[in-house]
Amino acid sequence: DRAIALHKMIRLFTLAGGGEAYLNFMGNEFGHPEWIDFPREGNGWSFHYCRRQWSLLDNGFLKYQWLGEFDRDMIRFVKRNHMFEQKMADLCLHKGPEKVIVFYRKGLLFAFNFNTDQSYTNILVPVPNKADYEMKMSTDDVQYGGQGLVEHMKYPVKEFDGKQYIELYLPARSGMILKEGRVKGTKKNKK
């Protein structure tokens, strides 16, 4: 379970924090157990490892389906929200000793807790706009093999000293995507 949690976090972090595109090694999208070795002189032109075991995704006794479903939904979500229109992410919060990082990209807030055993409550995260944020997807969601520790809900914006914040609960080994709501106090951004 810990390895699956970390695998999902790394995939989400790579997708959201990278540059203008997303690249993945073949088979890695669902944690494939073998390598790919195309026929070549060094392996005697063998086709033995020149295949993917796509049937692992459909095997309900294994956990590969959770990784495959997470990958599919993660890519679908960021495409639907046009995340790549913003070339790079904007760092909102980085707490090195706690292993917490939060960044913003094209109306989406990505929050990660890479700590292996410490969950954090009441983390104040600075946000770029005066807007509420709604949790849309988490690496800890039950449908992806997680524990379901974070509720899908709206996180209201709070103001302190003229700056905006939201307050989050970040379980250990988890990452989440929150979507920015309507920016308050502006007429042109009303949805």
Side-chain angles (χ1 to χ4, degrees), residues 33-69:
E34 294 180 353
W35 65 93
I36 293 178
D37 192 12
F38 292 105
R40 58 186 172 80
E41 187 177 355
N43 68 11
W45 303 105
S46 171
F47 281 85
H48 182 71
Y49 290 108
C50 185
R51 62 185 172 17
R52 295 287 83 197
Q53 295 182 38
W54 295 105
S55 62
L56 292 173
L57 290 173
D58 300 323
N59 184 331
F61 296 110
L62 302 173
K63 298 181 179 186
Y64 294 105
Q65 73 273 5
W66 293 331
L67 296 172
E69 290 168 12

PDB file of all heavy atoms in Angstrom, residues 33-69:
ATOM      1  N   PRO A  33       5.266  -4.930 -13.770  1.00  0.00           N
ATOM      2  CA  PRO A  33       6.341  -5.608 -13.038  1.00  0.00           C
ATOM      3  C   PRO A  33       7.576  -5.972 -13.861  1.00  0.00           C
ATOM      4  O   PRO A  33       8.573  -6.388 -13.295  1.00  0.00           O
ATOM      5  CB  PRO A  33       5.662  -6.886 -12.524  1.00  0.00           C
ATOM      6  CG  PRO A  33       4.641  -7.186 -13.567  1.00  0.00           C
ATOM      7  CD  PRO A  33       4.145  -5.840 -14.038  1.00  0.00           C
ATOM      8  N   GLU A  34       7.521  -5.868 -15.175  1.00  0.00           N
ATOM      9  CA  GLU A  34       8.663  -6.260 -16.007  1.00  0.00           C
ATOM     10  C   GLU A  34       9.131  -5.091 -16.855  1.00  0.00           C
ATOM     11  O   GLU A  34       8.429  -4.119 -17.051  1.00  0.00           O
ATOM     12  CB  GLU A  34       8.280  -7.431 -16.918  1.00  0.00           C
ATOM     13  CG  GLU A  34       7.971  -8.704 -16.166  1.00  0.00           C
ATOM     14  CD  GLU A  34       7.606  -9.846 -17.098  1.00  0.00           C
ATOM     15  OE1 GLU A  34       7.464  -9.628 -18.311  1.00  0.00           O
ATOM     16  OE2 GLU A  34       7.446 -10.964 -16.595  1.00  0.00           O
ATOM     17  N   TRP A  35      10.332  -5.212 -17.384  1.00  0.00           N
ATOM     18  CA  TRP A  35      10.890  -4.203 -18.265  1.00  0.00           C
ATOM     19  C   TRP A  35      10.544  -4.536 -19.712  1.00  0.00           C
ATOM     20  O   TRP A  35      10.114  -5.635 -20.026  1.00  0.00           O
ATOM     21  CB  TRP A  35      12.404  -4.123 -18.087  1.00  0.00           C
ATOM     22  CG  TRP A  35      13.121  -5.375 -18.517  1.00  0.00           C
ATOM     23  CD1 TRP A  35      13.653  -5.632 -19.737  1.00  0.00           C
ATOM     24  CD2 TRP A  35      13.353  -6.551 -17.742  1.00  0.00           C
ATOM     25  NE1 TRP A  35      14.208  -6.887 -19.779  1.00  0.00           N
ATOM     26  CE2 TRP A  35      14.041  -7.478 -18.565  1.00  0.00           C
ATOM     27  CE3 TRP A  35      13.065  -6.922 -16.426  1.00  0.00           C
ATOM     28  CZ2 TRP A  35      14.430  -8.729 -18.116  1.00  0.00           C
ATOM     29  CZ3 TRP A  35      13.451  -8.167 -16.001  1.00  0.00           C
ATOM     30  CH2 TRP A  35      14.125  -9.055 -16.833  1.00  0.00           C
ATOM     31  N   ILE A  36      10.746  -3.566 -20.592  1.00  0.00           N
ATOM     32  CA  ILE A  36      10.578  -3.801 -22.024  1.00  0.00           C
ATOM     33  C   ILE A  36      11.969  -3.917 -22.626  1.00  0.00           C
ATOM     34  O   ILE A  36      12.825  -3.080 -22.384  1.00  0.00           O
ATOM     35  CB  ILE A  36       9.826  -2.647 -22.717  1.00  0.00           C
ATOM     36  CG1 ILE A  36       8.388  -2.596 -22.239  1.00  0.00           C
ATOM     37  CG2 ILE A  36       9.858  -2.806 -24.228  1.00  0.00           C
ATOM     38  CD1 ILE A  36       7.585  -1.468 -22.840  1.00  0.00           C
ATOM     39  N   ASP A  37      12.185  -4.958 -23.387  1.00  0.00           N
ATOM     40  CA  ASP A  37      13.459  -5.149 -24.075  1.00  0.00           C
ATOM     41  C   ASP A  37      13.143  -5.552 -25.504  1.00  0.00           C
ATOM     42  O   ASP A  37      12.770  -6.693 -25.778  1.00  0.00           O
ATOM     43  CB  ASP A  37      14.285  -6.237 -23.377  1.00  0.00           C
ATOM     44  CG  ASP A  37      15.728  -6.278 -23.878  1.00  0.00           C
ATOM     45  OD1 ASP A  37      16.145  -5.341 -24.589  1.00  0.00           O
ATOM     46  OD2 ASP A  37      16.426  -7.248 -23.557  1.00  0.00           O
ATOM     47  N   PHE A  38      13.231  -4.595 -26.397  1.00  0.00           N
ATOM     48  CA  PHE A  38      12.914  -4.863 -27.789  1.00  0.00           C
ATOM     49  C   PHE A  38      13.958  -5.782 -28.413  1.00  0.00           C
ATOM     50  O   PHE A  38      15.105  -5.823 -27.959  1.00  0.00           O
ATOM     51  CB  PHE A  38      12.811  -3.552 -28.574  1.00  0.00           C
ATOM     52  CG  PHE A  38      11.626  -2.731 -28.168  1.00  0.00           C
ATOM     53  CD1 PHE A  38      11.777  -1.593 -27.387  1.00  0.00           C
ATOM     54  CD2 PHE A  38      10.348  -3.097 -28.550  1.00  0.00           C
ATOM     55  CE1 PHE A  38      10.686  -0.852 -27.011  1.00  0.00           C
ATOM     56  CE2 PHE A  38       9.243  -2.363 -28.178  1.00  0.00           C
ATOM     57  CZ  PHE A  38       9.421  -1.240 -27.400  1.00  0.00           C
ATOM     58  N   PRO A  39      13.558  -6.547 -29.417  1.00  0.00           N
ATOM     59  CA  PRO A  39      14.514  -7.442 -30.076  1.00  0.00           C
ATOM     60  C   PRO A  39      15.733  -6.654 -30.578  1.00  0.00           C
ATOM     61  O   PRO A  39      15.596  -5.604 -31.201  1.00  0.00           O
ATOM     62  CB  PRO A  39      13.728  -8.026 -31.251  1.00  0.00           C
ATOM     63  CG  PRO A  39      12.304  -7.870 -30.857  1.00  0.00           C
ATOM     64  CD  PRO A  39      12.237  -6.632 -30.020  1.00  0.00           C
ATOM     65  N   ARG A  40      16.906  -7.178 -30.239  1.00  0.00           N
ATOM     66  CA  ARG A  40      18.170  -6.549 -30.641  1.00  0.00           C
ATOM     67  C   ARG A  40      19.261  -7.607 -30.605  1.00  0.00           C
ATOM     68  O   ARG A  40      19.053  -8.714 -30.076  1.00  0.00           O
ATOM     69  CB  ARG A  40      18.498  -5.371 -29.729  1.00  0.00           C
ATOM     70  CG  ARG A  40      18.588  -5.762 -28.269  1.00  0.00           C
ATOM     71  CD  ARG A  40      18.761  -4.553 -27.348  1.00  0.00           C
ATOM     72  NE  ARG A  40      18.656  -4.958 -25.962  1.00  0.00           N
ATOM     73  CZ  ARG A  40      19.623  -5.525 -25.263  1.00  0.00           C
ATOM     74  NH1 ARG A  40      20.805  -5.745 -25.797  1.00  0.00           N
ATOM     75  NH2 ARG A  40      19.431  -5.893 -24.010  1.00  0.00           N
ATOM     76  N   GLU A  41      20.396  -7.264 -31.124  1.00  0.00           N
ATOM     77  CA  GLU A  41      21.498  -8.222 -31.182  1.00  0.00           C
ATOM     78  C   GLU A  41      21.893  -8.708 -29.787  1.00  0.00           C
ATOM     79  O   GLU A  41      22.161  -9.892 -29.579  1.00  0.00           O
ATOM     80  CB  GLU A  41      22.704  -7.577 -31.877  1.00  0.00           C
ATOM     81  CG  GLU A  41      23.831  -8.548 -32.135  1.00  0.00           C
ATOM     82  CD  GLU A  41      24.992  -7.915 -32.896  1.00  0.00           C
ATOM     83  OE1 GLU A  41      24.879  -6.749 -33.297  1.00  0.00           O
ATOM     84  OE2 GLU A  41      25.997  -8.605 -33.075  1.00  0.00           O
ATOM     85  N   GLY A  42      21.889  -7.800 -28.786  1.00  0.00           N
ATOM     86  CA  GLY A  42      22.307  -8.138 -27.427  1.00  0.00           C
ATOM     87  C   GLY A  42      21.424  -9.155 -26.723  1.00  0.00           C
ATOM     88  O   GLY A  42      21.857  -9.800 -25.778  1.00  0.00           O
ATOM     89  N   ASN A  43      20.179  -9.329 -27.146  1.00  0.00           N
ATOM     90  CA  ASN A  43      19.310 -10.326 -26.521  1.00  0.00           C
ATOM     91  C   ASN A  43      18.934 -11.441 -27.496  1.00  0.00           C
ATOM     92  O   ASN A  43      17.938 -12.145 -27.294  1.00  0.00           O
ATOM     93  CB  ASN A  43      18.062  -9.683 -25.902  1.00  0.00           C
ATOM     94  CG  ASN A  43      17.104  -9.102 -26.929  1.00  0.00           C
ATOM     95  OD1 ASN A  43      17.231  -9.334 -28.130  1.00  0.00           O
ATOM     96  ND2 ASN A  43      16.144  -8.334 -26.452  1.00  0.00           N
ATOM     97  N   GLY A  44      19.744 -11.588 -28.535  1.00  0.00           N
ATOM     98  CA  GLY A  44      19.520 -12.661 -29.508  1.00  0.00           C
ATOM     99  C   GLY A  44      18.244 -12.466 -30.315  1.00  0.00           C
ATOM    100  O   GLY A  44      17.630 -13.432 -30.743  1.00  0.00           O
ATOM    101  N   TRP A  45      17.853 -11.209 -30.503  1.00  0.00           N
ATOM    102  CA  TRP A  45      16.654 -10.859 -31.260  1.00  0.00           C
ATOM    103  C   TRP A  45      15.401 -11.496 -30.665  1.00  0.00           C
ATOM    104  O   TRP A  45      14.456 -11.843 -31.351  1.00  0.00           O
ATOM    105  CB  TRP A  45      16.809 -11.203 -32.749  1.00  0.00           C
ATOM    106  CG  TRP A  45      17.990 -10.514 -33.341  1.00  0.00           C
ATOM    107  CD1 TRP A  45      19.194 -11.078 -33.658  1.00  0.00           C
ATOM    108  CD2 TRP A  45      18.106  -9.119 -33.638  1.00  0.00           C
ATOM    109  NE1 TRP A  45      20.053 -10.134 -34.146  1.00  0.00           N
ATOM    110  CE2 TRP A  45      19.416  -8.914 -34.151  1.00  0.00           C
ATOM    111  CE3 TRP A  45      17.273  -8.026 -33.542  1.00  0.00           C
ATOM    112  CZ2 TRP A  45      19.881  -7.663 -34.551  1.00  0.00           C
ATOM    113  CZ3 TRP A  45      17.730  -6.782 -33.935  1.00  0.00           C
ATOM    114  CH2 TRP A  45      19.012  -6.613 -34.435  1.00  0.00           C
ATOM    115  N   SER A  46      15.372 -11.588 -29.336  1.00  0.00           N
ATOM    116  CA  SER A  46      14.251 -12.209 -28.635  1.00  0.00           C
ATOM    117  C   SER A  46      13.070 -11.246 -28.498  1.00  0.00           C
ATOM    118  O   SER A  46      13.243 -10.065 -28.228  1.00  0.00           O
ATOM    119  CB  SER A  46      14.699 -12.644 -27.231  1.00  0.00           C
ATOM    120  OG  SER A  46      13.593 -13.050 -26.467  1.00  0.00           O
ATOM    121  N   PHE A  47      11.867 -11.788 -28.616  1.00  0.00           N
ATOM    122  CA  PHE A  47      10.640 -11.036 -28.412  1.00  0.00           C
ATOM    123  C   PHE A  47      10.062 -11.288 -27.017  1.00  0.00           C
ATOM    124  O   PHE A  47       8.989 -10.794 -26.687  1.00  0.00           O
ATOM    125  CB  PHE A  47       9.585 -11.430 -29.462  1.00  0.00           C
ATOM    126  CG  PHE A  47       9.809 -10.791 -30.796  1.00  0.00           C
ATOM    127  CD1 PHE A  47      10.679 -11.363 -31.712  1.00  0.00           C
ATOM    128  CD2 PHE A  47       9.169  -9.613 -31.134  1.00  0.00           C
ATOM    129  CE1 PHE A  47      10.886 -10.782 -32.940  1.00  0.00           C
ATOM    130  CE2 PHE A  47       9.371  -9.016 -32.359  1.00  0.00           C
ATOM    131  CZ  PHE A  47      10.232  -9.601 -33.269  1.00  0.00           C
ATOM    132  N   HIS A  48      10.768 -12.061 -26.186  1.00  0.00           N
ATOM    133  CA  HIS A  48      10.232 -12.482 -24.896  1.00  0.00           C
ATOM    134  C   HIS A  48       9.788 -11.306 -24.019  1.00  0.00           C
ATOM    135  O   HIS A  48       8.730 -11.344 -23.398  1.00  0.00           O
ATOM    136  CB  HIS A  48      11.245 -13.350 -24.146  1.00  0.00           C
ATOM    137  CG  HIS A  48      10.716 -13.856 -22.838  1.00  0.00           C
ATOM    138  ND1 HIS A  48       9.737 -14.822 -22.754  1.00  0.00           N
ATOM    139  CD2 HIS A  48      11.017 -13.512 -21.568  1.00  0.00           C
ATOM    140  CE1 HIS A  48       9.462 -15.057 -21.484  1.00  0.00           C
ATOM    141  NE2 HIS A  48      10.227 -14.271 -20.739  1.00  0.00           N
ATOM    142  N   TYR A  49      10.609 -10.248 -23.908  1.00  0.00           N
ATOM    143  CA  TYR A  49      10.265  -9.101 -23.067  1.00  0.00           C
ATOM    144  C   TYR A  49       9.764  -7.911 -23.885  1.00  0.00           C
ATOM    145  O   TYR A  49       9.763  -6.788 -23.410  1.00  0.00           O
ATOM    146  CB  TYR A  49      11.453  -8.678 -22.209  1.00  0.00           C
ATOM    147  CG  TYR A  49      11.763  -9.680 -21.125  1.00  0.00           C
ATOM    148  CD1 TYR A  49      12.888 -10.498 -21.199  1.00  0.00           C
ATOM    149  CD2 TYR A  49      10.907  -9.827 -20.040  1.00  0.00           C
ATOM    150  CE1 TYR A  49      13.156 -11.425 -20.204  1.00  0.00           C
ATOM    151  CE2 TYR A  49      11.168 -10.760 -19.050  1.00  0.00           C
ATOM    152  CZ  TYR A  49      12.293 -11.550 -19.140  1.00  0.00           C
ATOM    153  OH  TYR A  49      12.545 -12.461 -18.159  1.00  0.00           O
ATOM    154  N   CYS A  50       9.318  -8.180 -25.081  1.00  0.00           N
ATOM    155  CA  CYS A  50       8.825  -7.116 -25.958  1.00  0.00           C
ATOM    156  C   CYS A  50       7.293  -7.090 -25.916  1.00  0.00           C
ATOM    157  O   CYS A  50       6.620  -7.221 -26.923  1.00  0.00           O
ATOM    158  CB  CYS A  50       9.327  -7.354 -27.382  1.00  0.00           C
ATOM    159  SG  CYS A  50       8.907  -6.026 -28.493  1.00  0.00           S
ATOM    160  N   ARG A  51       6.756  -6.957 -24.701  1.00  0.00           N
ATOM    161  CA  ARG A  51       5.308  -6.964 -24.567  1.00  0.00           C
ATOM    162  C   ARG A  51       4.915  -6.306 -23.252  1.00  0.00           C
ATOM    163  O   ARG A  51       5.690  -6.216 -22.313  1.00  0.00           O
ATOM    164  CB  ARG A  51       4.769  -8.385 -24.582  1.00  0.00           C
ATOM    165  CG  ARG A  51       5.296  -9.220 -23.411  1.00  0.00           C
ATOM    166  CD  ARG A  51       4.859 -10.647 -23.509  1.00  0.00           C
ATOM    167  NE  ARG A  51       5.374 -11.626 -22.633  1.00  0.00           N
ATOM    168  CZ  ARG A  51       6.003 -11.536 -21.497  1.00  0.00           C
ATOM    169  NH1 ARG A  51       6.304 -10.394 -20.995  1.00  0.00           N
ATOM    170  NH2 ARG A  51       6.390 -12.581 -20.803  1.00  0.00           N
ATOM    171  N   ARG A  52       3.720  -5.839 -23.192  1.00  0.00           N
ATOM    172  CA  ARG A  52       3.118  -5.314 -21.964  1.00  0.00           C
ATOM    173  C   ARG A  52       2.044  -6.304 -21.533  1.00  0.00           C
ATOM    174  O   ARG A  52       1.347  -6.869 -22.367  1.00  0.00           O
ATOM    175  CB  ARG A  52       2.441  -3.957 -22.208  1.00  0.00           C
ATOM    176  CG  ARG A  52       3.383  -2.860 -22.590  1.00  0.00           C
ATOM    177  CD  ARG A  52       4.238  -2.378 -21.426  1.00  0.00           C
ATOM    178  NE  ARG A  52       5.387  -3.235 -21.254  1.00  0.00           N
ATOM    179  CZ  ARG A  52       6.160  -3.299 -20.169  1.00  0.00           C
ATOM    180  NH1 ARG A  52       5.926  -2.547 -19.156  1.00  0.00           N
ATOM    181  NH2 ARG A  52       7.179  -4.099 -20.083  1.00  0.00           N
ATOM    182  N   GLN A  53       1.884  -6.479 -20.278  1.00  0.00           N
ATOM    183  CA  GLN A  53       0.864  -7.380 -19.746  1.00  0.00           C
ATOM    184  C   GLN A  53      -0.375  -6.559 -19.360  1.00  0.00           C
ATOM    185  O   GLN A  53      -0.679  -6.346 -18.191  1.00  0.00           O
ATOM    186  CB  GLN A  53       1.398  -8.131 -18.537  1.00  0.00           C
ATOM    187  CG  GLN A  53       2.546  -9.061 -18.869  1.00  0.00           C
ATOM    188  CD  GLN A  53       3.006  -9.822 -17.652  1.00  0.00           C
ATOM    189  OE1 GLN A  53       2.192 -10.234 -16.817  1.00  0.00           O
ATOM    190  NE2 GLN A  53       4.301 -10.008 -17.530  1.00  0.00           N
ATOM    191  N   TRP A  54      -1.096  -6.098 -20.376  1.00  0.00           N
ATOM    192  CA  TRP A  54      -2.268  -5.254 -20.136  1.00  0.00           C
ATOM    193  C   TRP A  54      -3.341  -5.995 -19.342  1.00  0.00           C
ATOM    194  O   TRP A  54      -4.180  -5.366 -18.694  1.00  0.00           O
ATOM    195  CB  TRP A  54      -2.826  -4.742 -21.470  1.00  0.00           C
ATOM    196  CG  TRP A  54      -1.875  -3.833 -22.154  1.00  0.00           C
ATOM    197  CD1 TRP A  54      -1.102  -4.124 -23.242  1.00  0.00           C
ATOM    198  CD2 TRP A  54      -1.526  -2.501 -21.783  1.00  0.00           C
ATOM    199  NE1 TRP A  54      -0.317  -3.055 -23.581  1.00  0.00           N
ATOM    200  CE2 TRP A  54      -0.553  -2.040 -22.697  1.00  0.00           C
ATOM    201  CE3 TRP A  54      -1.942  -1.640 -20.773  1.00  0.00           C
ATOM    202  CZ2 TRP A  54      -0.002  -0.770 -22.627  1.00  0.00           C
ATOM    203  CZ3 TRP A  54      -1.390  -0.374 -20.704  1.00  0.00           C
ATOM    204  CH2 TRP A  54      -0.442   0.051 -21.626  1.00  0.00           C
ATOM    205  N   SER A  55      -3.308  -7.314 -19.349  1.00  0.00           N
ATOM    206  CA  SER A  55      -4.307  -8.082 -18.609  1.00  0.00           C
ATOM    207  C   SER A  55      -4.206  -7.853 -17.097  1.00  0.00           C
ATOM    208  O   SER A  55      -5.169  -8.105 -16.367  1.00  0.00           O
ATOM    209  CB  SER A  55      -4.142  -9.573 -18.913  1.00  0.00           C
ATOM    210  OG  SER A  55      -2.867 -10.014 -18.481  1.00  0.00           O
ATOM    211  N   LEU A  56      -3.059  -7.359 -16.615  1.00  0.00           N
ATOM    212  CA  LEU A  56      -2.910  -7.087 -15.182  1.00  0.00           C
ATOM    213  C   LEU A  56      -3.919  -6.046 -14.694  1.00  0.00           C
ATOM    214  O   LEU A  56      -4.347  -6.077 -13.547  1.00  0.00           O
ATOM    215  CB  LEU A  56      -1.486  -6.608 -14.872  1.00  0.00           C
ATOM    216  CG  LEU A  56      -0.379  -7.643 -15.048  1.00  0.00           C
ATOM    217  CD1 LEU A  56       0.985  -6.996 -14.881  1.00  0.00           C
ATOM    218  CD2 LEU A  56      -0.549  -8.788 -14.067  1.00  0.00           C
ATOM    219  N   LEU A  57      -4.308  -5.123 -15.574  1.00  0.00           N
ATOM    220  CA  LEU A  57      -5.278  -4.097 -15.199  1.00  0.00           C
ATOM    221  C   LEU A  57      -6.651  -4.686 -14.905  1.00  0.00           C
ATOM    222  O   LEU A  57      -7.423  -4.118 -14.138  1.00  0.00           O
ATOM    223  CB  LEU A  57      -5.412  -3.058 -16.316  1.00  0.00           C
ATOM    224  CG  LEU A  57      -4.210  -2.150 -16.532  1.00  0.00           C
ATOM    225  CD1 LEU A  57      -4.400  -1.294 -17.771  1.00  0.00           C
ATOM    226  CD2 LEU A  57      -3.977  -1.284 -15.313  1.00  0.00           C
ATOM    227  N   ASP A  58      -6.965  -5.808 -15.533  1.00  0.00           N
ATOM    228  CA  ASP A  58      -8.280  -6.423 -15.377  1.00  0.00           C
ATOM    229  C   ASP A  58      -8.313  -7.511 -14.305  1.00  0.00           C
ATOM    230  O   ASP A  58      -9.367  -8.069 -14.030  1.00  0.00           O
ATOM    231  CB  ASP A  58      -8.731  -7.031 -16.710  1.00  0.00           C
ATOM    232  CG  ASP A  58      -8.818  -5.982 -17.804  1.00  0.00           C
ATOM    233  OD1 ASP A  58      -9.220  -4.842 -17.489  1.00  0.00           O
ATOM    234  OD2 ASP A  58      -8.477  -6.290 -18.954  1.00  0.00           O
ATOM    235  N   ASN A  59      -7.181  -7.803 -13.700  1.00  0.00           N
ATOM    236  CA  ASN A  59      -7.097  -8.848 -12.694  1.00  0.00           C
ATOM    237  C   ASN A  59      -7.507  -8.273 -11.340  1.00  0.00           C
ATOM    238  O   ASN A  59      -6.769  -7.541 -10.714  1.00  0.00           O
ATOM    239  CB  ASN A  59      -5.661  -9.402 -12.637  1.00  0.00           C
ATOM    240  CG  ASN A  59      -5.530 -10.548 -11.682  1.00  0.00           C
ATOM    241  OD1 ASN A  59      -6.254 -10.648 -10.697  1.00  0.00           O
ATOM    242  ND2 ASN A  59      -4.593 -11.424 -11.968  1.00  0.00           N
ATOM    243  N   GLY A  60      -8.705  -8.579 -10.879  1.00  0.00           N
ATOM    244  CA  GLY A  60      -9.220  -8.010  -9.641  1.00  0.00           C
ATOM    245  C   GLY A  60      -8.515  -8.478  -8.382  1.00  0.00           C
ATOM    246  O   GLY A  60      -8.733  -7.921  -7.308  1.00  0.00           O
ATOM    247  N   PHE A  61      -7.654  -9.490  -8.461  1.00  0.00           N
ATOM    248  CA  PHE A  61      -6.943  -9.987  -7.288  1.00  0.00           C
ATOM    249  C   PHE A  61      -5.660  -9.213  -7.028  1.00  0.00           C
ATOM    250  O   PHE A  61      -5.061  -9.345  -5.977  1.00  0.00           O
ATOM    251  CB  PHE A  61      -6.625 -11.480  -7.447  1.00  0.00           C
ATOM    252  CG  PHE A  61      -7.851 -12.323  -7.518  1.00  0.00           C
ATOM    253  CD1 PHE A  61      -8.217 -12.933  -8.696  1.00  0.00           C
ATOM    254  CD2 PHE A  61      -8.668 -12.494  -6.407  1.00  0.00           C
ATOM    255  CE1 PHE A  61      -9.360 -13.704  -8.777  1.00  0.00           C
ATOM    256  CE2 PHE A  61      -9.814 -13.257  -6.468  1.00  0.00           C
ATOM    257  CZ  PHE A  61     -10.164 -13.869  -7.661  1.00  0.00           C
ATOM    258  N   LEU A  62      -5.234  -8.435  -8.003  1.00  0.00           N
ATOM    259  CA  LEU A  62      -4.021  -7.630  -7.875  1.00  0.00           C
ATOM    260  C   LEU A  62      -4.409  -6.170  -7.704  1.00  0.00           C
ATOM    261  O   LEU A  62      -5.578  -5.820  -7.753  1.00  0.00           O
ATOM    262  CB  LEU A  62      -3.134  -7.835  -9.108  1.00  0.00           C
ATOM    263  CG  LEU A  62      -2.723  -9.285  -9.369  1.00  0.00           C
ATOM    264  CD1 LEU A  62      -1.986  -9.410 -10.691  1.00  0.00           C
ATOM    265  CD2 LEU A  62      -1.843  -9.805  -8.228  1.00  0.00           C
ATOM    266  N   LYS A  63      -3.418  -5.308  -7.532  1.00  0.00           N
ATOM    267  CA  LYS A  63      -3.708  -3.893  -7.280  1.00  0.00           C
ATOM    268  C   LYS A  63      -3.383  -3.003  -8.471  1.00  0.00           C
ATOM    269  O   LYS A  63      -3.465  -1.788  -8.369  1.00  0.00           O
ATOM    270  CB  LYS A  63      -2.947  -3.438  -6.044  1.00  0.00           C
ATOM    271  CG  LYS A  63      -3.381  -4.198  -4.799  1.00  0.00           C
ATOM    272  CD  LYS A  63      -2.654  -3.758  -3.566  1.00  0.00           C
ATOM    273  CE  LYS A  63      -3.151  -4.531  -2.358  1.00  0.00           C
ATOM    274  NZ  LYS A  63      -2.583  -4.057  -1.114  1.00  0.00           N
ATOM    275  N   TYR A  64      -3.036  -3.586  -9.596  1.00  0.00           N
ATOM    276  CA  TYR A  64      -2.654  -2.784 -10.761  1.00  0.00           C
ATOM    277  C   TYR A  64      -3.803  -1.934 -11.278  1.00  0.00           C
ATOM    278  O   TYR A  64      -3.586  -0.865 -11.833  1.00  0.00           O
ATOM    279  CB  TYR A  64      -2.122  -3.677 -11.888  1.00  0.00           C
ATOM    280  CG  TYR A  64      -0.829  -4.362 -11.542  1.00  0.00           C
ATOM    281  CD1 TYR A  64      -0.798  -5.714 -11.230  1.00  0.00           C
ATOM    282  CD2 TYR A  64       0.359  -3.654 -11.511  1.00  0.00           C
ATOM    283  CE1 TYR A  64       0.389  -6.345 -10.899  1.00  0.00           C
ATOM    284  CE2 TYR A  64       1.554  -4.268 -11.183  1.00  0.00           C
ATOM    285  CZ  TYR A  64       1.561  -5.618 -10.875  1.00  0.00           C
ATOM    286  OH  TYR A  64       2.737  -6.221 -10.548  1.00  0.00           O
ATOM    287  N   GLN A  65      -5.038  -2.401 -11.116  1.00  0.00           N
ATOM    288  CA  GLN A  65      -6.180  -1.650 -11.640  1.00  0.00           C
ATOM    289  C   GLN A  65      -6.275  -0.280 -10.985  1.00  0.00           C
ATOM    290  O   GLN A  65      -6.676   0.685 -11.616  1.00  0.00           O
ATOM    291  CB  GLN A  65      -7.495  -2.435 -11.501  1.00  0.00           C
ATOM    292  CG  GLN A  65      -8.058  -2.534 -10.100  1.00  0.00           C
ATOM    293  CD  GLN A  65      -7.526  -3.707  -9.296  1.00  0.00           C
ATOM    294  OE1 GLN A  65      -6.641  -4.429  -9.742  1.00  0.00           O
ATOM    295  NE2 GLN A  65      -8.050  -3.892  -8.101  1.00  0.00           N
ATOM    296  N   TRP A  66      -5.905  -0.166  -9.702  1.00  0.00           N
ATOM    297  CA  TRP A  66      -5.970   1.127  -9.019  1.00  0.00           C
ATOM    298  C   TRP A  66      -5.004   2.123  -9.648  1.00  0.00           C
ATOM    299  O   TRP A  66      -5.331   3.292  -9.814  1.00  0.00           O
ATOM    300  CB  TRP A  66      -5.664   0.973  -7.538  1.00  0.00           C
ATOM    301  CG  TRP A  66      -6.700   0.213  -6.777  1.00  0.00           C
ATOM    302  CD1 TRP A  66      -8.039   0.130  -7.061  1.00  0.00           C
ATOM    303  CD2 TRP A  66      -6.493  -0.568  -5.623  1.00  0.00           C
ATOM    304  NE1 TRP A  66      -8.670  -0.650  -6.137  1.00  0.00           N
ATOM    305  CE2 TRP A  66      -7.742  -1.099  -5.231  1.00  0.00           C
ATOM    306  CE3 TRP A  66      -5.375  -0.877  -4.860  1.00  0.00           C
ATOM    307  CZ2 TRP A  66      -7.901  -1.898  -4.112  1.00  0.00           C
ATOM    308  CZ3 TRP A  66      -5.535  -1.685  -3.753  1.00  0.00           C
ATOM    309  CH2 TRP A  66      -6.784  -2.192  -3.391  1.00  0.00           C
ATOM    310  N   LEU A  67      -3.808   1.664  -9.977  1.00  0.00           N
ATOM    311  CA  LEU A  67      -2.832   2.552 -10.609  1.00  0.00           C
ATOM    312  C   LEU A  67      -3.289   2.952 -12.004  1.00  0.00           C
ATOM    313  O   LEU A  67      -3.144   4.110 -12.407  1.00  0.00           O
ATOM    314  CB  LEU A  67      -1.459   1.878 -10.663  1.00  0.00           C
ATOM    315  CG  LEU A  67      -0.826   1.583  -9.304  1.00  0.00           C
ATOM    316  CD1 LEU A  67       0.430   0.747  -9.477  1.00  0.00           C
ATOM    317  CD2 LEU A  67      -0.518   2.865  -8.564  1.00  0.00           C
ATOM    318  N   GLY A  68      -3.854   2.017 -12.746  1.00  0.00           N
ATOM    319  CA  GLY A  68      -4.341   2.317 -14.084  1.00  0.00           C
ATOM    320  C   GLY A  68      -5.496   3.310 -14.057  1.00  0.00           C
ATOM    321  O   GLY A  68      -5.544   4.246 -14.858  1.00  0.00           O
ATOM    322  N   GLU A  69      -6.433   3.124 -13.129  1.00  0.00           N
ATOM    323  CA  GLU A  69      -7.571   4.034 -13.009  1.00  0.00           C
ATOM    324  C   GLU A  69      -7.128   5.419 -12.552  1.00  0.00           C
ATOM    325  O   GLU A  69      -7.626   6.438 -13.035  1.00  0.00           O
ATOM    326  CB  GLU A  69      -8.610   3.459 -12.049  1.00  0.00           C
ATOM    327  CG  GLU A  69      -9.331   2.253 -12.620  1.00  0.00           C
ATOM    328  CD  GLU A  69     -10.155   1.510 -11.582  1.00  0.00           C
ATOM    329  OE1 GLU A  69     -10.352   2.046 -10.466  1.00  0.00           O
ATOM    330  OE2 GLU A  69     -10.606   0.395 -11.897  1.00  0.00           O
TER     331      GLU A  69
END
